[in-house]
């Protein structure tokens, strides 16, 4: 709830403006005078860092994320804490999120081209696969966590955050509509998650890119979760008959309720 604009974090980073806020963190644009560059600083909401396990997980996850080097993953430069404020310093990318692009297109009664949808999906799959090979599952892939840079490249952000705050905390605080819309059935059931949970979330995102809306929509997170568990995936051919059948097959396989049936 506190706006940190105008403050200096860790005796170094000069906070300039708030650029985003979610269920788990706030993001600020800041200036790093040491390296004379703009950076993005993600600050975990303090109430989530009360958990005694939090510090260990924060260090573990942030260290792992800092080692990720991929053109479609946001680069992390540094992480630390200032009092009870835990933060990560990342590259500042001039972007809009995929979420805001989709909203803009919907408002204009337009949708992404098939070429853009497949290109963005391929880039996010590349990023996720790279991380999966290094034992890291994202657990929260959704359009709000995908940035589109000035060259139209898709960049995945927020690796590690879901684990830092813990699965139960994440579900309690983060399973608002925005997150429940993209959650895999096994996450909803509280089962151990692996790379296939990310595949499912990518499938939901691909469905939304192709159709203009996610496969399941409801007024409550609980109803949404039940739909992910029980409802069949809507037929993309009925929504947009011009969708290539190969893409429909890929989307449906990624959205299989049983993770053994996914890629």
């Amino acid at each position: 709830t506190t706006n940190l604009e105008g403050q200096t974090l860790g005796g170094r980073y000069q906070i300039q403006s708030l650029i985003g806020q979610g269920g788990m963190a706030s993001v600020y644009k800041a200036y790093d005078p040491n390296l004379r560059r703009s950076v993005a600083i993600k600050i975990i909401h303090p109430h989530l860092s009360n958990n005694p396990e939090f510090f260990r997980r924060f260090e573990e996850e942030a260290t792992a994320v800092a080692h990720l080097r991929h053109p479609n993953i946001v680069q992390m430069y540094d992480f630390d804490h200032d009092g009870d404020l835990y933060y990560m310093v990342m590259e500042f990318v001039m972007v809009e999120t995929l979420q805001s692009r989709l909203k803009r297109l919907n408002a204009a009664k337009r949708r992404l081209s098939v070429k853009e949808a497949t290109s963005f999906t391929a880039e996010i799959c590349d990023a996720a696969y790279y991380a999966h090979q290094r034992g890291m599952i994202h657990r929260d892939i959704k359009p709000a966590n995908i940035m589109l840079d000035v060259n139209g490249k898709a960049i995945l952000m927020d690796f590690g955050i879901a684990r830092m705050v813990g699965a139960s905390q994440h579900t309690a605080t983060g399973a608002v509509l925005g997150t429940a819309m993209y959650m895999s059935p096994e996450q909803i059931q509280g089962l151990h998650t692996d790379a296939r949970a990310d595949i499912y979330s990518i499938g939901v995102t691909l469905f939304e890119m192709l159709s203009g809306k996610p496969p399941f929509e409801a007024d409550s997170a609980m109803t949404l979760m039940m739909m992910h568990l029980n409802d069949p995936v809507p037929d993309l051919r009925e929504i947009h008959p011009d969708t290539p059948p190969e893409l429909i097959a890929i989307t449906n396989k990624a959205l299989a309720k049983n993770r053994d049936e996914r890629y």
Side-chain angles (χ1 to χ4, degrees):
T1 56
T2 312
N3 193 323
L4 299 172
E5 286 176 17
Q7 296 190 35
T8 299
L9 204 59
R12 173 173 175 178
Y13 302 105
Q14 299 160 4
I15 307 273
Q16 294 174 327
S17 58
L18 179 68
I19 52 178
Q21 221 161 6
M24 293 183 274
S26 300
V27 187
Y28 291 88
K29 182 182 180 186
Y31 181 69
D32 176 2
N34 288 21
L35 296 173
R36 298 181 189 175
R37 65 182 174 188
S38 291
V39 292
I41 298 197
K42 187 172 287 278
I43 297 174
I44 307 287
H45 292 323
H47 69 278
L48 296 174
S49 59
N50 293 340
N51 184 322
E53 274 282 275
F54 174 81
F55 181 68
R56 181 187 63 77
R57 276 201 307 254
F58 175 80
E59 292 231 292
E60 262 179 26
E61 290 296 308
T63 302
V65 175
H67 283 95
L68 297 178
R69 292 277 191 286
H70 191 278
N72 301 105
I73 296 176
V74 171
Q75 178 66 57
M76 190 199 292
Y77 299 140
D78 190 14
F79 61 89
D80 206 346
H81 66 101
D82 187 336
D84 65 347
L85 290 180
Y86 288 82
Y87 63 90
M88 290 169 286
V89 183
M90 298 168 296
E91 65 177 311
F92 179 75
V93 189
M94 290 292 291
V95 293
E96 70 174 331
T97 63
L98 176 58
Q99 181 184 51
S100 61
R101 170 79 62 89
L102 291 170
K103 272 186 182 165
R104 210 158 40 77
L105 289 171
N106 274 342
K109 299 207 166 13
R110 293 166 53 219
R111 61 191 170 111
L112 280 180
S113 69
V114 166
K115 185 174 182 219
E116 287 174 310
T118 49
S119 171
F120 295 156
T121 303
E123 289 172 333
I124 293 310
C125 285
D126 277 348
Y129 179 65
Y130 169 86
H132 293 164
Q133 285 184 302
R134 285 151 186 80
M136 290 200 72
I137 315 299
H138 190 290
R139 294 179 173 80
D140 195 22
I141 296 177
K142 56 188 178 185
N145 285 338
I146 295 168
M147 302 195 293
L148 306 175
D149 73 5
V150 288
N151 301 312
K153 183 172 75 176
I155 303 173
L156 192 53
M157 57 182 179
D158 273 8
F159 260 102
I161 301 261
R163 260 184 69 84
M164 281 174 197
V165 300
S168 56
Q169 280 273 43
H170 176 215
T171 307
T173 59
V176 284
L177 290 173
T179 291
M181 219 169 255
Y182 304 92
M183 279 176 110
S184 67
E186 60 269 26
Q187 283 171 288
I188 290 163
Q189 292 169 307
L191 303 174
H192 173 74
T193 52
D194 59 24
R196 292 168 294 181
D198 284 349
I199 299 279
Y200 186 90
S201 301
I202 293 170
V204 179
T205 303
L206 175 56
F207 187 102
E208 185 172 357
M209 285 194 276
L210 294 172
S211 72
K213 58 183 186 180
F216 306 116
E217 294 180 288
D219 292 332
S220 80
M222 187 56 73
T223 307
L224 264 175
M225 289 177 179
M226 295 311 291
M227 292 170 87
H228 280 294
L229 289 174
N230 303 313
D231 288 16
V233 177
D235 189 346
L236 272 166
R237 281 167 303 197
E238 289 179 10
I239 303 168
H240 291 294
D242 58 344
T243 310
E246 300 89 345
L247 260 186
I248 294 174
I250 288 167
T251 309
N252 289 344
K253 187 172 172 70
L255 286 173
K257 309 278 186 210
N258 178 353
R259 57 185 168 186
D260 293 336
E261 293 170 11
R262 290 177 216 146
Y263 292 100

